[in-house]
Amino acid sequence: MKGFAMLKINEVGWIEKERPHCGPMDAIVRPLAVSPCTSDVHTVYEGAIGERTNLILGHEAVGEVVETGSLVKDFKKGDTVIIPAITPDWGAVESQMGFSQHSGCMLCGWKFSNIKDGVFAEFFHVNEADGNMALLPKNVSIEEGVMLSDMVPTGFHGADNAKVSYGETVIVIGIGPVGLMAVAGANLRGAARIFAVGSREICQDAARKYGATDIINYKQGDIVKQIQEANNKKPVDKVIIAGGGLEAFEQALKLVRPGGIISNVNYLGSGDHIKINRLDWGVGMVHISIIGGLMPGGRKNMEYLSNLLKYKKLDVGILLTHRFKGFGFIEKGLALMKDKPRDLIKPVVTI
Ligand code: NAD
Ligand code: ZN
């Protein structure tokens, strides 16, 4: 079968591979819609998780089930399913402890385009199909459904880890598709004031639609000063980091209140250390939590998040600025994610 792969750090291309084998609990799926991700860009062009050779990329897909293992109960050939980017091993002790993202080892729930071939292929393998796939609701399109693989759960995970609550003031740093879903998640969780930090007009407009009350352009001066000024020098309750570099943590620490939370979902592709200023950290005693999280995968999460689309509580159509038809356009989609033209939020390729 054909696939679009990371050949090595800094190099991508089309390759031929064997069609994957279906184990008793697994499924083989044919992609119907896929979306390239900034994470693929970090992995390939920053070599952020180390060398990978001839590894098929992609981890965001809606697909059609073509084969199921003998122990799979709830899915059958022909079903249209959402496949989350993260597909944990549900029996692992880490899963039993509530951190299925790290089933087996740190980040090991993240299999596609990390430790096994991803979804940019004619067929791909889903482990533990009953636990990791969800049926796509009938009234949700395959293009919109693919946003449930990664963009919605990651942005919402940022808001969940920040424990955003009614009436709070929240900053979202970075408003690409993930940050925009963090804005939407914070809004649904009841945040009153949401500062969205981003420079591209299309992302700023989308942020307003998702509930941002204030837009801060990081290209027009120090965001700490801009936000402090707008917020009458008062600290905010929560900061969600979904873009920018390591400096975002230092900025967040200057902006958040004692007892507040800094919640990162950004994939830190380069740089070695995050700096924590001793005084901003309340000389070690300020009760500010810093948490970083890989999105949770799994069927239950997919089913619940897809309800938001099914019942029109969340419109992910705003994210889909570039739509392509044909397997070959995956390459173009990834190039767009790398180059980030001003009119891009997220590309989707239907097959
Ligand atoms: P994106 O690149 O489209 O969005 C990030 C945005 O941040 C860009 O628009 C960029 O211009 C902007 N930015 C750059 N510097 C900035 C600064 N100093 N201040 C504010 N904004 C700045 O990426 P995305 O698809 O929205 O994903 C965001 C991050 O989340 C990526 O690193 C991605 O790899 C990661 N990710 C994490 C998970 C997870 O499970 N935690 C899942 C998917 C993606
Ligand atoms: Zn992704």
Side-chain angles (χ1 to χ4, degrees):
M1 64 169 195
K2 211 167 125 181
F4 186 68
M6 170 170 179
L7 306 179
K8 58 181 186 183
I9 291 174
N10 240 334
E11 206 175 315
V12 292
W14 294 94
I15 58 171
E16 283 289 331
K17 275 205 168 175
E18 288 286 307
R19 184 182 142 152
H21 167 76
C22 187
M25 295 170 75
D26 308 340
I28 302 298
V29 175
R30 175 177 80 84
L32 298 172
V34 298
S35 185
C37 177
T38 306
S39 300
D40 294 315
V41 174
H42 290 303
T43 302
V44 175
Y45 298 104
E46 287 180 301
I49 50 172
E51 189 59 281
R52 299 288 189 275
T53 316
N54 297 336
L55 179 77
I56 294 177
L57 291 167
H59 49 260
E60 303 181 17
V62 161
E64 182 193 344
V65 176
V66 295
E67 187 181 345
T68 53
S70 57
L71 300 176
V72 174
K73 294 194 289 285
D74 299 332
F75 298 93
K76 57 179 192 317
K77 195 174 166 196
D79 284 345
T80 301
V81 291
I82 310 157
I83 303 93
I86 307 303
T87 52
D89 303 307
W90 289 99
V93 286
E94 294 84 356
S95 301
Q96 293 172 22
M97 289 189 283
F99 296 96
S100 57
Q101 296 94 322
H102 310 288
S103 60
C105 69
M106 182 172 67
L107 304 181
C108 284
W110 169 23
K111 299 187 189 304
F112 293 126
S113 67
N114 177 18
I115 52 181
K116 75 171 185 186
D117 283 325
V119 303
F120 295 165
E122 286 176 282
F123 301 97
F124 59 89
H125 166 266
V126 184
N127 58 297
E128 298 190 30
D130 279 330
N132 280 321
M133 309 196 303
L135 290 173
L136 182 73
K138 293 266 182 287
N139 66 342
V140 176
S141 71
I142 53 171
E143 288 104 323
E144 293 187 354
V146 83
M147 294 300 101
L148 290 163
S149 290
D150 192 358
M151 298 299 96
V152 180
T154 301
F156 278 41
H157 191 51
D160 288 344
N161 279 343
K163 301 192 172 90
V164 175
S165 184
Y166 306 123
E168 287 189 340
T169 298
V170 177
I171 302 168
V172 178
I173 300 179
I175 46 169
V178 167
L180 288 169
M181 289 301 95
V183 170
N187 192 49
L188 277 169
R189 290 184 63 112
R193 190 169 192 188
I194 302 175
F195 287 93
V197 180
S199 65
R200 286 182 291 152
E201 211 173 294
I202 190 161
C203 297
Q204 295 177 345
D205 288 345
R208 281 191 200 92
K209 288 183 186 139
Y210 286 125
T213 50
D214 299 71
I215 303 293
I216 301 291
N217 188 337
Y218 65 94
K219 292 197 172 157
Q220 289 173 358
D222 179 14
I223 68 163
V224 175
K225 276 201 191 120
Q226 292 187 65
I227 295 173
Q228 281 175 340
E229 209 159 285
N231 206 33
N232 297 323
K233 308 261 179 291
K234 287 206 322 226
V236 305
D237 297 293
K238 310 287 167 61
V239 182
I240 303 168
I241 301 173
L246 299 183
E247 74 288 350
F249 291 86
E250 279 175 275
Q251 295 167 333
L253 201 53
K254 288 186 191 305
L255 288 162
V256 78
R257 67 167 163 81
I261 299 175
I262 298 168
S263 164
N264 177 73
V265 284
N266 200 12
Y267 174 167
L268 306 175
S270 51
D272 291 322
H273 301 286
I274 292 164
K275 279 196 210 146
I276 295 179
N277 180 286
R278 181 177 59 85
L279 293 177
D280 293 337
W281 186 239
V283 290
M285 297 182 279
V286 74
H287 294 102
I288 291 170
S289 308
I290 302 176
I291 180 167
L294 179 65
M295 66 152 258
R299 174 173 169 181
K300 178 242 147 202
N301 200 30
M302 287 300 107
E303 288 180 350
Y304 275 65
L305 292 175
S306 68
N307 281 341
L308 294 171
L309 273 59
K310 181 174 170 181
Y311 294 104
K312 315 279 182 213
K313 293 280 169 85
L314 177 67
D315 175 12
V316 294
I318 300 168
L319 302 177
L320 302 175
T321 51
H322 291 61
R323 296 172 191 242
F324 301 101
K325 198 165 170 46
F327 199 54
F329 282 102
I330 288 173
E331 186 166 5
K332 168 131 198 208
L334 184 67
L336 282 170
M337 275 324 259
K338 179 167 178 268
D339 299 339
K340 302 261 155 58
R342 293 198 69 78
D343 61 345
L344 177 90
I345 300 182
K346 186 83 175 167
V348 64
V349 181
T350 52
I351 293 150

